[in-house]
Amino acid sequence: MNDTPVKQQNTAAFHGQAVASFTVALAATAVGIFSLRADAWVRGFLGIAVLYLVTSAFTLAKVVRDRQEAGRIVHRVDQARLEKLLAEHDPFEKL
């Protein structure tokens, strides 16, 4: 009954690809906003909106990850309690 989950780690290539993808997307959006033929306040508003969207996405990802990790910890504690009860249980003990 001891199911120890294997800790999954991202490879260096996957991490590098994620960072590069994020950098390219942010740079392309910045170039698009600054080359937009509009007033400065419109470009500024769009720039602030993109930054707000990025920070919100990071916060959401962290909250989802934290909730998932908390669920794993609770599950492991519950499983440990169950294993302890099963190990201590003697079906032939007199009631």
Side-chain angles (χ1 to χ4, degrees):
M1 277 192 111
N2 191 2
D3 293 313
T4 305
V6 177
K7 185 175 182 182
Q8 296 178 354
Q9 292 184 348
N10 295 329
T11 63
F14 181 73
H15 183 267
Q17 184 269 335
V19 170
S21 176
F22 175 77
T23 304
V24 168
L26 196 59
T29 303
V31 168
I33 288 173
F34 289 118
S35 66
L36 186 65
R37 292 184 182 162
D39 292 336
W41 72 270
V42 173
R43 291 188 306 228
F45 175 79
L46 292 174
I48 294 296
V50 166
L51 291 177
Y52 181 62
L53 180 64
V54 168
T55 58
S56 297
F58 277 114
T59 302
L60 177 63
K62 183 186 179 317
V63 167
V64 169
R65 183 200 64 204
D66 290 348
R67 180 175 285 178
Q68 183 180 15
E69 286 179 356
R72 272 195 215 147
I73 291 171
V74 169
H75 178 71
R76 292 179 96 188
V77 169
D78 288 343
Q79 178 136 5
R81 286 181 184 157
L82 176 65
E83 287 178 5
K84 181 181 176 192
L85 284 173
L86 290 174
E88 293 174 351
H89 177 68
D90 183 10
F92 299 111
E93 182 181 338
K94 242 183 171 178
L95 296 175

